[in-house]
Amino acid sequence: MVQLTQEHKQIILNSIRDIPDFPKPGIVFKDITTLLNNPKAYGLLIDHLTNRYKQMNIEYIVGLDARGFIFGASLATKLNIGFVPVRKKGKLPGDTISEKYELEYGFDEVEIHKDAFNNKNAKVLIIDDLIATGGTASAAAKLVKATGVTLVECCFILNLTFLDGVKKVEQFAPVYSVLDI
Ligand code: AMP
């Protein structure tokens, strides 16, 4: 199915649990471990994404550290295409390019291997579990574009709409979110 039914969306949404006050007071953490161990909900999600991106002829999936790796690698296997990680600074062993971005307090930095894509004309999708302020995904989008490939879309399982992160990321590529909350 290319479009998810309301019922299917509800099954996926119900499989994600809220953990209040994690990692600090006032934050409601969206825990996707309960989606991963629910084969019906996870199957519906991956089938949906497979159908959507099969039609777009994506050639690489870029997953964001760390939960984006799980969704991205599952999807890449289904589509029979390559997977590329964007990691937090200092984790990738080869030559990298990096991008700093602002957090509520201070900065963070993400990296990609310089030679991550062997086809420089490739069509690429970025995926992560959740978009909040859009800072992480925007930095990743800058990195992907800096390698010269075409960034076709940024995909998120959950979009925390009240933080308006989509607006920021849309400056780099179209955004698709499975569930808006
Ligand atoms: P942001 O850069 O603000 O869009 O934050 C997105 C990143 O932080 C993603 O990698 C998410 O996994 C994580 N994140 C931010 N807020 C939450 C939340 N409420 N629950 C779970 N993960 C979150």
Side-chain angles (χ1 to χ4, degrees):
M1 103 238 73
V2 173
Q3 301 290 341
L4 278 175
T5 63
Q6 270 314 318
E7 188 199 339
H8 287 164
K9 281 190 183 186
Q10 202 58 50
I11 290 170
I12 299 168
L13 190 59
N14 290 347
S15 76
I16 299 167
R17 65 178 172 181
D18 286 353
I19 308 277
D21 299 320
F22 183 88
K24 52 186 181 185
I27 305 279
V28 178
F29 191 83
K30 297 289 177 185
D31 179 21
I32 54 94
T33 62
T34 42
L35 162 61
L36 300 176
N37 72 15
N38 178 328
K40 182 171 183 190
Y42 196 49
L44 281 171
L45 175 69
I46 295 298
D47 282 352
H48 165 60
L49 294 177
T50 305
N51 286 324
R52 178 181 178 83
Y53 291 111
K54 209 162 49 185
Q55 303 184 339
M56 293 194 194
N57 302 315
I58 304 289
E59 291 158 277
Y60 289 94
I61 297 193
V62 170
L64 306 192
D65 201 342
R67 288 175 294 273
F69 296 170
I70 303 165
F71 299 102
S74 297
L75 188 54
T77 304
K78 286 273 189 181
L79 293 171
N80 195 28
I81 59 177
F83 173 82
V84 170
V86 161
R87 297 217 62 179
K88 296 276 165 63
K89 191 177 172 57
K91 300 285 185 186
L92 287 172
D95 285 345
T96 58
I97 44 175
S98 61
E99 184 70 37
K100 260 193 181 168
Y101 61 99
E102 215 172 337
L103 300 172
E104 200 180 345
Y105 302 103
F107 288 88
D108 215 336
E109 199 163 342
V110 284
E111 296 185 324
I112 195 168
H113 273 143
K114 272 185 187 160
D115 62 356
F117 307 103
N118 26 40
N119 169 8
K120 290 292 170 203
N121 300 312
K123 291 166 83 177
V124 174
L125 171 76
I126 287 179
I127 191 163
D128 202 3
D129 65 330
L130 180 144
I131 177 167
T133 65
T136 312
S138 295
K142 282 185 203 164
L143 283 181
V144 167
K145 292 189 128 184
T147 67
V149 297
T150 303
L151 180 57
V152 173
E153 191 157 272
C154 295
C155 173
F156 305 93
I157 314 310
L158 289 169
N159 170 20
L160 302 185
T161 52
F162 68 98
L163 290 170
D164 239 1
V166 168
K167 239 187 229 159
K168 194 184 260 179
V169 179
E170 273 177 344
Q171 294 171 35
F172 305 98
V175 170
Y176 174 66
S177 54
V178 178
L179 304 165
D180 290 327
I181 49 175

